[in-house]
Amino acid sequence: MPGQQRMPPKNIRCRLSGIREVYMKELEYPFDSEYILKKSKKIKRQLLESRTDFLTKRIAVLGGSTTHDIIRVLEIFLLNQGIMPQFYESEYAQYWQDVMFDNEELTAFAPDLIYIHTSNRNVTSYPAVTDQAEQIEALLEEQYAHFQVMWEKIADKYHCPVIQNNFEYPFYRVFGNQEAVYVQGRISFLNRLNEKFYQYAREHTGFYIHDINYQAAAYGLDRWADPFYWHMYKYALCMQAIPAFAHSLSNIIKAVFGKNKKSLVLDLDNTLWGGIVGDDGVENLEIGQETSMGQVYAEFQSYIKTHKEIGVMLNVNSKNEYENAIAGLEHPEGVLRPDDFILIKANWEPKSKNIVEIANEMNVLPDSLVFVDDNPAEREIVAAQVPGVAVPAMGRPEQYIRILDHAGFFEVTQLSEDDRKRNEMYKANLDRQKQQQNFGDYKEYLRSLEMKGTIRPFESMYMARIAQLTNKSNQFNLTTKRCTQSQIEQFAVTDAYITRYGKLEDKFGDNGVVSVVVGRKDEAESVLHLELWLMSCRVLKRDMEYAMIDSVVEACQKCGIRTILGYYYPTAKNGMVKEFYGVMGFVKIHEDEEGNSCWKFEIGDSYGKKNTVITVEG
């Protein structure tokens, strides 16, 4: 059928519905590196058998040293995070040549992401002891330019995200403890070169640093940089460090492609404080500066609160009387307060039941949650009863921060204003839900929210947020097309596309950018193909979809387009919008055996606006 030919490429096809996400304990931090290295084939096979809803991505690994085993281990970490990688691997030390001399194989591969695996072994010239400051400055610029010209070539040709290693410290110090002080010192030189890399990352979206300098320090530089592995195998790090390295790298990749977790769900007793508030009383809890263990819990609470500031949503799941839980959170030495949490489930229900309710009330999927509890029995029950929830093994209180931090559940690749306000946005949603209970007529309830929308073509100030939404939204996402920021920017400046972003605010607060539409024009046939339509779950059932289609139709009318074709590609998570186009007045014209469908809407001469409750600007 004609509609079938017009369907844009599919990012994901899922043949099974209701798939349960499976995470392998063997790949959760802290993991056994020796086991992973020995059993990588077995682990890969188990992961491939455990699920089918992978996000397929083409990843080019351009190495300044041997990369085969890094790719082998990276693959299983990515599979564990729901990403099916297809790899291009450069020949040994050909990372620069592959880009600069237009390697045909790399060009044909058309990577979704490029990873540049270099190390201090790829710095071609270091300062000499006799060099003067001016000579060293010129050398620094020369070494930086070698990388910068490559990054610019990638940006111009491939338009995809780039991950670049920084430089780890050398394993020896000619100047001893003054190595970072003297400008001739290698540590001084690498620090300055790293800072140039960081500045480039600050100024260029879609460019990310993999901090192997930190990784080497955390692992232990003497072991990490064992010269045996370089001289024998041309590995830039020891074999035993590869799993930790690959895990860290996989965290950036899964964050770029929208696989981060969204929320911490925290136990209270012996997790946020020492002791049991119901038995010991608030006054006897260990929290604060009076005892060493109290300091440990206070530091952990500070660490958790910082996550709220980067957009991680906080919730409580505790077996406690509600009043006791609130009293513990109001402890004068505590850092976290009741207002820091969106939901506080303090009761005697099974924690697995509370987890499901938290996901439902926040309108997110359970696989968005990380459950933190000191009790291994509670962790085991939640892991068994609610598949998809991350349940890290927390160990002793002194280990809590390190375990959560190294796990990389919330790897930051972009930080928008919406991220910073996320907790407040979700708390406002709960206020809206409470108000809804006072209305018998749903439309009257919507009008009572006094909603104001802003719907406009893509604008520069929101590009990062729009790209973030394409990679995070799963439930209301009709084609699950994932886009980088550079791709979003291309849509915005190309006449062949109609783009719309939608912001929504009401009397309870501003929800920020919550909806995105991208349509490709076929003016020869007077058709618009909706290649992307998504909406944040926090504004579901607020009629924002009607306001968006009104804006799209208006844009079509202005350029003479009479027909809109919408596409639905089923995944394990977007079943809620299977019939969305039908509700919007489209007619289904094609559906294949996998459930992929095409819908048609004829605009006509007398289109009646569908939105009646949102006042729209733009």
Side-chain angles (χ1 to χ4, degrees):
M1 295 179 64
Q4 187 176 14
Q5 295 173 354
R6 296 187 182 105
M7 295 178 80
K10 305 171 181 62
N11 276 36
I12 301 175
R13 284 191 179 184
C14 179
R15 290 181 170 83
L16 302 177
S17 61
I19 291 173
R20 292 150 61 99
E21 295 209 16
V22 178
Y23 297 92
M24 293 192 66
K25 288 292 183 184
E26 294 91 336
L27 298 177
E28 292 182 2
Y29 182 86
F31 40 74
D32 183 338
S33 293
E34 293 288 353
Y35 177 83
I36 290 172
L37 289 168
K38 290 178 181 178
K39 301 293 184 180
S40 63
K41 290 184 179 179
K42 176 184 176 182
I43 294 171
K44 176 181 175 180
R45 184 173 63 252
Q46 291 174 332
L47 286 165
L48 291 173
E49 292 171 351
S50 70
R51 61 192 296 172
T52 60
D53 60 330
F54 291 105
L55 178 64
T56 301
K57 290 295 176 182
R58 298 181 301 277
I59 299 172
V61 177
L62 310 183
S65 56
T66 303
T67 55
H68 176 72
D69 284 307
I70 288 173
I71 289 173
R72 170 170 66 94
V73 179
L74 175 63
E75 180 179 29
I76 60 176
F77 278 112
L78 290 175
L79 288 171
N80 194 49
Q81 291 162 336
I83 298 172
M84 174 80 75
Q86 298 172 352
F87 288 108
Y88 167 88
E89 182 179 13
S90 69
E91 296 294 333
Y92 169 74
Q94 295 296 299
Y95 69 96
W96 197 84
Q97 291 87 338
D98 270 9
V99 173
M100 299 307 297
F101 300 140
D102 296 321
N103 182 296
E104 292 181 0
E105 188 179 350
L106 176 59
T107 301
F109 183 68
D112 296 310
L113 179 144
I114 291 176
Y115 165 55
I116 304 169
H117 175 62
T118 49
S119 70
N120 63 35
R121 296 281 187 178
N122 298 114
V123 175
T124 56
S125 185
Y126 284 100
V129 174
T130 57
D131 281 349
Q132 300 301 307
E134 295 80 6
Q135 294 171 286
I136 295 171
E137 189 67 32
L139 181 61
L140 182 69
E141 292 299 328
E142 175 188 304
Q143 293 294 317
Y144 174 67
H146 171 78
F147 288 92
Q148 184 187 22
V149 68
M150 175 180 60
W151 301 334
E152 300 295 344
K153 180 71 176 289
I154 291 172
D156 290 341
K157 181 170 183 177
Y158 294 103
H159 307 289
C160 69
V162 174
I163 299 175
Q164 167 71 60
N165 288 351
N166 62 0
F167 297 106
E168 78 283 29
Y169 286 163
F171 68 95
Y172 61 86
R173 301 178 300 173
V174 171
F175 294 103
N177 287 294
Q178 306 310 306
E179 184 79 15
V181 177
Y182 292 170
V183 293
Q184 296 85 356
R186 292 194 173 197
I187 288 180
S188 170
F189 190 75
L190 292 175
N191 279 339
R192 295 174 67 192
L193 192 52
N194 277 340
E195 181 54 40
K196 284 183 168 293
F197 279 35
Y198 306 152
Q199 187 61 36
Y200 187 91
R202 294 183 192 108
E203 295 171 353
H204 295 81
T205 59
F207 183 89
Y208 309 102
I209 295 295
H210 183 216
D211 191 359
I212 67 170
N213 197 27
Y214 174 84
Q215 294 296 321
Y219 188 83
L221 185 57
D222 283 345
R223 292 182 296 149
W224 175 284
D226 187 341
F228 169 81
Y229 291 93
W230 174 256
H231 296 298
M232 180 61 71
Y233 306 112
K234 289 298 180 284
Y235 278 130
L237 67 163
C238 71
M239 175 70 76
Q240 295 76 17
I242 286 176
F245 177 97
H247 177 252
S248 171
L249 177 58
S250 74
N251 284 332
I252 304 176
I253 295 172
K254 57 92 174 167
V256 168
F257 294 129
K259 291 289 187 176
N260 263 356
K261 302 296 184 182
K262 297 179 180 178
S263 171
L264 282 164
V265 181
L266 299 145
D267 176 44
L268 296 177
D269 294 330
N270 293 315
T271 299
L272 291 187
W273 54 66
I276 300 173
V277 64
D279 294 340
D280 302 327
V282 175
E283 67 279 5
N284 294 314
L285 296 179
E286 284 200 276
I287 180 72
Q289 302 307 307
E290 297 301 318
T291 67
S292 60
M293 191 54 68
Q295 293 171 21
V296 168
Y297 285 109
E299 187 175 38
F300 183 56
Q301 285 200 17
S302 295
Y303 175 78
I304 295 298
K305 186 148 186 169
T306 304
H307 277 68
K308 175 189 172 185
E309 295 166 2
I310 63 170
V312 177
M313 297 177 287
L314 305 184
N315 296 283
V316 166
N317 184 4
S318 172
K319 286 188 174 176
N320 249 311
E321 297 294 339
Y322 182 80
E323 293 77 12
N324 288 336
I326 297 300
L329 289 169
E330 290 177 341
H331 191 290
E333 296 297 318
V335 179
L336 292 167
R337 292 287 181 257
D339 284 348
D340 289 317
F341 299 93
I342 298 172
L343 292 167
I344 298 177
K345 297 286 185 181
N347 51 43
W348 299 102
E349 297 289 343
K351 290 189 177 181
S352 55
K353 180 175 182 290
N354 284 339
I355 283 273
V356 172
E357 289 183 357
I358 287 171
N360 289 339
E361 290 179 41
M362 292 176 61
N363 212 353
V364 299
L365 296 171
D367 62 20
S368 299
L369 309 179
V370 178
F371 177 57
V372 178
D373 195 312
D374 69 294
N375 189 325
E378 295 287 5
R379 296 198 301 263
E380 188 66 27
I381 292 170
V382 168
Q385 296 295 321
V386 194
V389 175
V391 187
M394 295 307 295
R396 301 189 310 273
E398 297 91 338
Q399 300 172 324
Y400 288 176
I401 291 178
R402 176 172 58 82
I403 288 171
L404 284 183
D405 204 63
H406 286 16
F409 295 121
F410 309 105
E411 181 80 28
V412 175
T413 51
Q414 293 177 338
L415 188 61
S416 67
E417 189 62 27
D418 282 0
D419 291 325
R420 297 185 180 96
K421 299 189 297 185
R422 182 166 288 114
N423 276 266
E424 287 69 25
M425 290 175 176
Y426 274 82
K427 287 173 76 172
N429 256 358
L430 295 179
D431 293 334
R432 296 181 186 100
Q433 292 173 18
K434 291 176 184 176
Q435 174 150 330
Q436 182 181 344
Q437 297 171 5
N438 299 324
F439 288 84
D441 183 273
Y442 189 70
K443 284 292 184 183
E444 286 303 314
Y445 157 68
L446 291 179
R447 292 187 182 96
S448 76
L449 295 178
E450 301 170 13
M451 292 184 288
K452 296 178 181 178
T454 300
I455 302 176
R456 292 177 182 162
F458 292 173
E459 296 176 312
S460 58
M461 71 178 69
Y462 297 118
M463 295 298 188
R465 171 58 179 163
I466 292 167
Q468 185 184 60
L469 267 177
T470 71
N471 285 288
K472 281 189 171 184
S473 300
N474 294 303
Q475 297 182 81
F476 193 122
N477 192 333
L478 288 143
T479 60
T480 61
K481 184 182 180 71
R482 312 295 185 181
C483 301
T484 64
Q485 185 167 336
S486 62
Q487 289 172 320
I488 292 296
E489 291 167 351
Q490 282 296 114
F491 291 144
V493 298
T494 304
D495 289 339
Y497 286 90
I498 290 175
T499 65
R500 289 293 183 270
Y501 75 87
K503 294 184 66 181
L504 186 66
E505 61 179 298
D506 58 32
K507 67 182 182 182
F508 290 106
D510 188 352
N511 291 282
V513 177
V514 293
S515 190
V516 176
V517 174
V518 175
R520 176 174 52 83
K521 294 188 285 187
D522 182 347
E523 293 182 292
E525 296 190 22
S526 187
V527 170
L528 182 75
H529 301 275
L530 293 179
E531 295 189 351
L532 175 66
W533 190 341
L534 60 84
M535 195 160 68
S536 170
C537 58
R538 64 174 176 258
V539 296
L540 294 180
K541 300 181 180 179
R542 296 260 201 91
D543 282 14
M544 188 63 179
E545 61 271 29
Y546 294 122
M548 294 296 288
I549 192 63
D550 286 348
S551 181
V552 170
V553 168
E554 182 181 4
C556 288
Q557 290 172 326
K558 288 181 179 178
C559 59
I561 287 176
R562 310 287 293 176
T563 302
I564 302 176
L565 293 178
Y567 304 94
Y568 168 70
Y569 304 148
T571 72
K573 298 177 180 179
N574 71 353
M576 65 177 293
V577 291
K578 180 180 180 180
E579 301 297 327
F580 169 76
Y581 280 119
V583 174
M584 300 299 290
F586 286 62
V587 176
K588 187 189 297 185
I589 60 173
H590 175 74
E591 182 172 1
D592 66 20
E593 60 184 15
E594 296 178 355
N596 301 293
S597 55
C598 177
W599 302 70
K600 185 176 183 180
F601 183 80
E602 297 289 357
I603 295 175
D605 296 325
S606 57
Y607 174 80
K609 289 194 173 183
K610 299 179 181 295
N611 164 47
T612 60
V613 295
I614 301 173
T615 302
V616 177
E617 297 179 355

